Amino acid sequence: MEYTLNCNGKLLNLKEPQVMGILNATPDSFYAASRQQTDNQIAERVRQILEEGASIIDVGGCSTRPDSAPATEEEEMERLHRALAIVRREAPDAIISIDTFRPNVARMTVEEYGADMINDVGGSVLANISPLTDQMEMFRMVSRLHVPYIYMSRKATMKEVMLDCAEVVDQLRSMGQNDIVLDPGFGFGKTIEDNYAVMGELERMEMLHLPVLVGISRKSMIYKLLHTSQEQALNCTTALNTIALMKGASILRVHDVREAVECVKMVAATKAFC
């Protein structure tokens, strides 16, 4: 199906799947090579993401990796203030997504830096990190901000993911939210077996008639299965991204942009001759 997202007046066409490059302005994200600490590292990463062909830069200021000690809201905002000033300087017209589960952080990034979408993994972390935060606050916030919203489900099976997403979409629609992207939540609330079962049924999410984001880049579902490491997980990340595209994914969230862009081109070429 064909989808478009209204990103602050810029229409992002998802007829051809898009690649979202990860920019972690954190000291503790799960993949060490993805951490950008200095101003120069952040600027270089912005240029790399765009030069390698991504259309979205996903900026995060708080790691949500398992067993992490999360940054406070103040720390997350400080990191994002610094990173987004650099991103906007280097790429003023880039489409920027903000990886956050905090409504106030979402508001700040949209109002002060013109962030174009919110990528919320709150459903997976609120119980452990911020038990007093009601995710409905985020729903209300994004509906007021009028930016696309990425909802991630932490349910374990595809049936549960579908029911969860359908319920959330109804809630968001009732609040006036228009642009919604669904993320089945690989690596969150799932065993290794659950992750592969969800991937095996990914095409079922097309029944919800919304674009699907897949984020499996270098995750433990890959390297634990193969008894390797994050550093050795690129080949199978590429394989799973290809499977996801064949099953209808509209956005790939990745550390390795060039390889993901090549996947999109190869799958498009294959489908053109089917």
Side-chain angles (χ1 to χ4, degrees), residues 44-87:
E44 288 174 7
R45 178 59 177 161
V46 171
R47 292 191 291 269
Q48 179 188 30
I49 288 172
L50 297 178
E51 287 170 2
E52 293 188 359
S55 56
I56 309 166
I57 303 173
D58 191 50
V59 186
C62 177
S63 173
T64 54
R65 65 181 175 85
D67 304 317
S68 65
T72 66
E73 184 169 300
E74 292 73 19
E75 288 172 328
E76 183 181 6
M77 282 195 179
E78 182 179 349
R79 292 170 183 173
L80 288 172
H81 274 299
R82 178 165 163 250
L84 290 172
I86 297 168
V87 174

Side-chain angles (χ1 to χ4, degrees), residues 9-28:
K10 297 169 285 190
L11 289 183
L12 180 64
N13 192 333
L14 302 180
K15 179 179 181 181
E16 178 178 292
Q18 302 297 305
V19 174
M20 172 187 284
I22 299 168
L23 194 167
N24 287 321
T26 58
D28 57 346

Side-chain angles (χ1 to χ4, degrees), residues 12 21 26 37 46 77 79 82 90 93 98 141 147 151 204 209 218 224 268:
L12 180 64
T26 58
Q37 297 288 300
V46 171
M77 282 195 179
R79 292 170 183 173
R82 178 165 163 250
E90 295 293 324
D93 298 322
I98 304 298
M141 180 62 74
V147 294
Y151 173 75
R204 289 182 59 191
H209 304 293
R218 296 182 181 267
K224 286 184 178 179

Side-chain angles (χ1 to χ4, degrees), residues 114-130:
D116 298 285
M117 65 181 73
I118 301 300
N119 180 15
D120 179 15
V121 298
S124 68
V125 297
L126 290 180
N128 297 324
I129 293 178
S130 187

